[in-house]
Amino acid sequence: MDVGLIVSTIARALAFSTPLLWAALGEIYAERAGVVNLGVEGMMILGAVMGFIVGQSTGSPWLGLLVAAGVGGLAALLHAFISITLRANQYVSGLAITIFGLGLSGLLGRNFVGVPLNNAMGFVNLPGLSSLPIIGPALFTNQYLLTYLGLIVAALLWFVLYYTRLGMTLRTVGESPVAADVAGINVIRVRYLAVVFGGVMAGIAGAYLSLAYRPSWGENMTNGMGWIALALAIFALWDPLRAVGAAFLFGAFFTLSFSLQSVFNPQLLTLMPYVFTIVALIIVALGKGGRAFGAPEALGQPYERGER
């Protein structure tokens, strides 16, 4: 097997999987609290356009990243208000956020279409590790800082979820909000924080695209990545570390589909995000069947504080 192809595939898959991982991690925490967020795509695209506009205007991609995170959080706050406070259908609210985000991003970015970013995020090489044979060029050379930060964040979120009081609280709210309420946990507050956190992560994921991976702005540049992230969160069984592997595998398949066009039909790839999402939503909608995969017991169910 061609070593160069292996190295290239791993490196490109890692870069491509970065926004999927960030967005999927945020969705995992939101769903662990019992809230489905179909607005990830809209939050990502808003983060991408606002990150680019601020980064282009100020010359600081990191300031653009910060603004993108805030915009994603604000969009998620709107979703939280509609679905948690008003107790509206979570699926409808999320879809509305996505439609709104796609439309607003096109409006805000219409004067920036095709414009390259003046000061994009640069590559980083890890000293020592980048000189290792094969794995050095594949994993530790010419990657973005957000790629490595995503892996660190995934490990931290896994630890918090399973080994801290905060994680136990989050899981309790998603499994049995009634029990959490009885124990004195403010279910509404926990769900709000989890959803907003998910939006912040989606905003960062979108900004990575316009500030690093493809440092420019183009309409619909997320190209269904939000839907893929939603599906990955479910296929990872709502586990942050499994999400790393799931995101990387999808990135590898995406890369190989173009490297080996004689084997894979690239046109089929455009269908995959939607197929994955449909399958994932079916799993959640199956109720007991979905819970057999590890879905939180109260996922998608509204809750009013004080209910018994």
Side-chain angles (χ1 to χ4, degrees):
M1 185 175 291
D2 187 355
V3 175
L5 177 62
I6 296 175
V7 170
S8 175
T9 299
I10 294 175
R12 292 178 182 177
L14 193 60
F16 181 81
S17 67
T18 297
L20 299 177
L21 178 60
W22 279 93
L25 290 173
E27 182 65 15
I28 285 172
Y29 261 55
E31 295 194 7
R32 279 286 189 172
V35 181
V36 177
N37 180 13
L38 298 190
V40 175
E41 178 81 2
M43 296 170 193
M44 282 184 68
I45 196 71
L46 286 174
V49 68
M50 289 305 301
F52 178 83
I53 291 174
V54 173
Q56 186 77 327
S57 302
T58 65
S60 172
W62 296 104
L63 181 58
L65 180 70
L66 182 63
V67 171
V71 169
L74 286 175
L77 183 63
L78 176 60
H79 175 56
F81 176 73
I82 295 173
S83 61
I84 299 174
T85 300
L86 300 183
R87 304 180 69 195
N89 186 287
Q90 295 178 10
Y91 299 93
V92 174
S93 173
L95 286 172
I97 294 294
T98 287
I99 294 171
F100 172 77
L102 291 171
L104 182 60
S105 66
L107 178 64
L108 295 174
R110 60 183 178 181
N111 294 326
F112 298 93
V113 175
V115 176
L117 185 64
N118 292 329
N119 188 22
M121 291 182 180
F123 291 120
V124 295
N125 299 313
L126 298 185
L129 296 176
S130 59
S131 61
L132 294 174
I134 300 180
I135 64 171
L139 301 177
F140 306 118
T141 304
N142 292 338
Q143 292 290 348
Y144 297 101
L145 182 59
L146 283 178
T147 298
Y148 298 122
L149 287 179
L151 299 175
I152 295 172
V153 169
L156 289 175
L157 292 179
W158 173 83
F159 179 81
V160 169
L161 188 62
Y162 293 111
Y163 293 99
T164 68
R165 183 184 182 90
L166 176 61
M168 183 177 67
T169 297
L170 183 72
R171 287 184 284 121
T172 302
V173 168
E175 293 292 341
S176 178
V178 173
D181 198 357
V182 171
I185 298 172
N186 190 324
V187 174
I188 304 301
R189 179 187 301 166
V190 172
R191 287 190 167 184
Y192 257 87
L193 291 174
V195 172
V196 171
F197 173 74
V200 168
M201 297 289 278
I204 293 173
Y208 168 84
L209 293 173
S210 62
L211 298 175
Y213 189 70
R214 294 194 296 265
S216 61
W217 165 250
E219 290 189 21
N220 298 322
M221 72 180 305
T222 50
N223 195 31
M225 281 190 168
W227 299 110
I228 300 173
L230 172 67
L232 290 179
I234 298 172
F235 286 125
L237 303 180
W238 298 270
D239 183 285
L241 286 186
R242 288 196 182 105
V244 174
F248 179 80
L249 284 176
F250 188 90
F253 182 84
F254 181 90
T255 301
L256 282 173
S257 68
F258 291 97
S259 300
L260 304 174
Q261 293 191 25
S262 61
V263 179
F264 297 99
N265 185 350
Q267 294 180 347
L268 294 178
L269 190 68
T270 60
L271 297 177
M272 289 183 61
Y274 309 102
V275 173
F276 279 0
T277 303
I278 291 172
V279 173
L281 291 178
I282 289 175
I283 290 174
V284 173
L286 284 177
K288 292 182 179 180
R291 289 193 288 275
F293 286 88
E297 186 84 14
L299 182 60
Q301 300 176 12
Y303 183 75
E304 184 173 355
R305 191 177 185 184
E307 280 188 345
R308 294 293 185 270

